[in-house]
Amino acid sequence: MAFWEKIGWRYWVLAVIVGIGLPIGSTLIGLSPVWRFGGLLLLINGGLAIGLGRRIYQHAQPGWWLLIWPLTYLVGAIGWLPQYTWYLAIVYLCLSYVSYGLAQTHKQIRS
């Protein structure tokens, strides 16, 4: 079990469900491209990127875990979303990194 904790299995499970499961689900139910881009990709996935960046810092997890979410999203996007959505993986990586850094700055200011 120590191995699974070390690689952050909770982050992997969440990333696979949202990064691969949501694109498949939105494609299967026939969600319109506007709702898929605005609601799914920007609000839900962007919020998840910000939340994971903060949480990874707050729990003193390794920084490479910031890559888990964008990479699993990219796998889901390549498989089930239009090509223009692939670039959002970079946006999610940037959002995670910025929220990780801002959480660090916020904690230093309080000290």
Side-chain angles (χ1 to χ4, degrees):
M1 192 66 174
F3 170 74
W4 295 108
E5 290 295 327
K6 187 175 181 178
I7 64 165
W9 70 270
R10 290 179 183 97
Y11 295 102
W12 283 99
V13 169
L14 180 64
V16 167
I17 289 171
V18 177
I20 297 174
L22 260 95
I24 292 172
S26 68
T27 302
L28 289 177
I29 64 171
L31 197 61
S32 76
V34 173
W35 280 105
R36 188 173 30 209
F37 185 78
L40 175 72
L41 298 178
L42 293 182
L43 293 178
I44 294 175
N45 292 354
L48 180 67
I50 292 169
L52 285 178
R54 291 180 54 116
R55 186 161 176 87
I56 288 171
Y57 178 77
Q58 290 170 348
H59 291 276
Q61 305 297 346
W64 69 267
W65 285 11
L66 293 172
L67 296 172
I68 295 172
W69 162 237
L71 290 178
T72 54
Y73 164 77
L74 185 60
V75 169
I78 288 172
W80 294 277
L81 292 175
Q83 188 174 3
Y84 67 86
T85 61
W86 299 357
Y87 301 105
L88 289 173
I90 297 168
V91 172
Y92 299 145
L93 176 62
C94 292
L95 284 173
S96 295
Y97 182 74
V98 166
S99 65
Y100 181 86
L102 288 176
Q104 183 178 12
T105 303
H106 182 71
K107 192 170 185 174
Q108 288 177 350
I109 291 173
R110 283 189 178 183
S111 298

